[in-house]
Amino acid sequence: MEVVDTSPLPGLGLTKDQIPAPVQTATDKDIAKTNAINLTDFMNRSLGSVYINDTQGNGFQPDVNYRGYTASPLLGTPQGLSVYMDGVRLNQPFGDVVSWDLIPKNAISSLAMMPGSNPLFGRNTLGGALSLQTKDGKRNAGTSVQGLGGDFGRYNFEFEHGGSNKQGLNWFASGNYFNEDGWRQNSQTNVRQIFGKVGWEGEKTDVKFTTAYADNEMYGNGLQEQRFLAKDYTSIYTKPDITDNRSLFLNLEGTHELNDNIVLSGNSYYRNIRTQTYNGDINEGALDQSVYALSAADRAALTSAGIAFPTAAMNSANTSFPYLRCVAQALQQDEPGEKCNGLINRTSTSQENWGTSGQAVLNSKLFGNTNRFLFGGAYDQSIARFNQSTQLGYLNPDRSITGIAAYADGMTGGNVDGEPFDNRVSLKGDTLTWSFFTEDTLSIGEHLHITASGRYNYTSVSNQDQIHPNGGSDSLNGNHAFDRFNPAVGLTYNPIKALGFYAGYNEGSRAPTTIELGCANPDQPCKLPNSMAGDPPLKQVVTQTWETGFRGQAPGQIDWHVGYFHIENQDDILFVADNQAGFGYFKNFGKTQRQGMEVSLDRKVEQWSVGANYTYLDATFQSHEIVNGTGNSTNSAGSGLEGTIAINPGNKIPLTPAHMFKTYVDYQFTKDWGTNVNIMGFSDSYARGNENNAHQPDGRYYLGSGKVPGYVVVNYGLRYTPSYVRGLQVFGQVNNILDQHYYTGAQLGPTGFDGNGNFQARPFPANTASVQQATFYSPGAPRIFWLGLRYSF
């Protein structure tokens, strides 16, 4: 019997056939068999309805999608999945983002993907909840060390140790050091994680204290235009793009059995996360400007500063990059925001998050039938501080950006005279949430189980602008409050082992976050994740989920499942582009819908493990909306100009493939040798910016199809466990063994380079307002091989 906890805290454990939803589970042994480098790599290869958008261009910073809902580390991405570890919500207060690099893979004991908007998992559980449990010394006794090395300078060292004594004390510790140069240019990664847990377990009481620390530096170079990927698959658009994450995690949890029928559990936690980013970008505001020609005033300013320049008029033929126009404009404090073709964006985020939760589980009889009742409450509070600045600069031939002494919005070194990217931000956000929740499962006989649950959430968000503390049209000051009760009902009926039925309905909600409330004014659009302005109120997102399906075990010990889901979001929060290049704001978007079918087969017997799953996903907008469509060929203003597009009900939501297929085979073909093969296939999807699904390239103003092509990836692993050396295992892994070039995401946007890779401004002299647009892609990793050794004792 596999028991799953249906709430973040342990207590009300139900078997899978008692839960009215197709829960997916995995253990540390399942993760180890795949030789996955991190948790998201395992989820992408093994869990149904999960797919990855590698928008950041780093394997530790992916957008993880499940049924069309996202858990992303990128600010501004609409978040729809909640993630918990040992009962602590890992979605960060500032933007509900999830930093996957902070989760220690080798400390994970088990995971459960809970589908639907399960209210017991609280805020942001719109499409599902991922619940992680970590190892302890009693159940994971022993010591193991592991090392691996592979392509692109990849090497990794891990250790773990657990133990216990007769007095009930147990302990566990693990560490992970991962480093690689990266398969793309300038894409190195350094991940350092340490995890520890100490606990005491008595006859009726279990107490654990957990601490974890991570210090990571990741280069993620994002999307690249297809023309340059075709020439060099490792190429990047601009650089650098650096994210530094430091995190401290503390959690005290306990369980106590009052008697045979009542179990109490709870936890108290503290998290401290500090994130810094440094990004070199093209200034899109310079793409329709004359950045090569020097005016008389420019020449005079450069001469006064002792800076040499060519005697002929500046043009792309006699200079490799137009830095002189940028420097000249900055010296005059005239229009550097238009003439400088580069930007350096810096952000610093500090988040402190703490809280406590508790619940009681009562096992009793109701009308002679088994009844399990749960009730509890939770309190969470956080303080987030966000600072951001933009430095002007110029683009170098190697795609890096050199900054000059000119900044946005009057900062030291100059100003930009009211240019639209005045995006200096200093914001403090306080968020407080308290909630009450309950669940009851009534088992009528052995085969019928009826479940009802609900959760009441109250969330307040207070934004305090540190630049404009006294208010005004430019101030981010604001106080907001949101509350809602979300219910859920469901039943399962399992008359025989070969056939069972389930059906359920549940609701979830998500209150707007500090960053969304800080960028919600259409009159003051912002450039996320770089800036915010204004905070008109937004409504909560409310999600309704219907689930139904059949499951069972066929002859030959084949577990099977066929299910249907229908999910509707009311007042969905989306980032809507504005007519200013690269700018936009958050708004409530009427209704969106995700529905589809899921089919899975799984057989684990003796030396064989074989499985497959297929998902059909229909993700659509269900409301009319007018949004910016500058990168879209059907925009209202004309070729290469800043216009709008109309979204109509039925248009597909970008980056949601309609068909997903995964299969795996694991075979222990001798006592010592084992192997596994994993195949993943995804159909095409639309790029961001192509929300009306109508973009068509013309080869002049618009380049690229506006779609993400479908792809298939094959991964292969081999392991050797010599019987004459107890505890030793040698393993090898080849991901993308066919070396396919494929893309996991795409976006429409202006391109700053010509076909030869040189910076181009005003590419259409007859119409200086037109800017060439292109489809940018996030390339998937090519063939990567690594070889490792693990020793356990």
Side-chain angles (χ1 to χ4, degrees), residues 321-534:
F321 43 85
Y323 73 95
L324 288 178
R325 190 76 195 273
C326 171
V327 173
Q329 293 289 307
L331 289 170
Q332 302 171 76
Q333 296 190 5
D334 187 8
E335 293 181 338
E338 291 183 353
K339 308 308 180 186
C340 292
N341 63 353
L343 300 174
I344 296 176
N345 292 300
R346 296 177 175 90
T347 71
S348 175
T349 309
S350 173
Q351 301 178 80
E352 289 186 280
N353 185 203
W354 63 92
T356 186
S357 60
Q359 69 181 31
V361 177
L362 284 71
N363 296 302
S364 62
K365 293 289 185 178
L366 183 63
F367 306 117
N369 296 295
T370 300
N371 189 72
R372 277 161 289 191
F373 177 67
L374 174 152
F375 68 92
Y379 175 88
D380 300 273
Q381 188 171 355
S382 64
I383 297 177
R385 295 176 175 86
F386 176 77
N387 294 280
Q388 188 252 236
S389 66
T390 294
Q391 181 181 6
L392 298 168
Y394 53 84
L395 179 71
N396 298 306
D398 66 353
R399 303 293 181 91
S400 66
I401 306 296
T402 297
I404 64 171
Y407 294 78
D409 201 24
M411 295 180 67
T412 303
N415 62 68
V416 296
D417 292 337
E419 287 302 304
F421 61 86
D422 294 350
N423 55 7
R424 188 170 47 128
V425 174
S426 181
L427 175 69
K428 178 183 177 184
D430 296 347
T431 303
L432 182 152
T433 297
W434 55 265
S435 57
F436 299 102
F437 51 90
T438 184
E439 182 181 33
D440 187 87
T441 298
L442 176 64
S443 299
I444 302 176
E446 297 181 1
H447 307 303
L448 178 62
H449 309 278
I450 302 174
T451 297
S453 63
R455 184 176 184 128
Y456 174 80
N457 295 316
Y458 173 88
T459 299
S460 66
V461 181
S462 175
N463 286 349
Q464 298 121 46
D465 195 319
Q466 307 298 292
I467 297 176
H468 307 285
N470 297 321
S473 60
D474 294 330
S475 177
L476 300 175
N477 288 345
N479 295 292
H480 312 268
F482 309 89
D483 70 312
R484 194 173 196 278
F485 177 77
N486 294 312
V489 294
L491 66 86
T492 65
Y493 181 57
N494 310 288
I496 56 176
K497 187 176 181 180
L499 177 64
F501 169 78
Y502 69 88
Y505 169 81
N506 45 63
E507 295 183 4
S509 61
R510 180 170 78 84
T513 63
T514 295
I515 192 170
E516 291 164 334
L517 292 167
C519 180
N521 191 340
D523 297 326
Q524 293 180 320
C526 60
K527 189 171 186 177
L528 285 174
N530 303 322
S531 66
M532 299 178 290

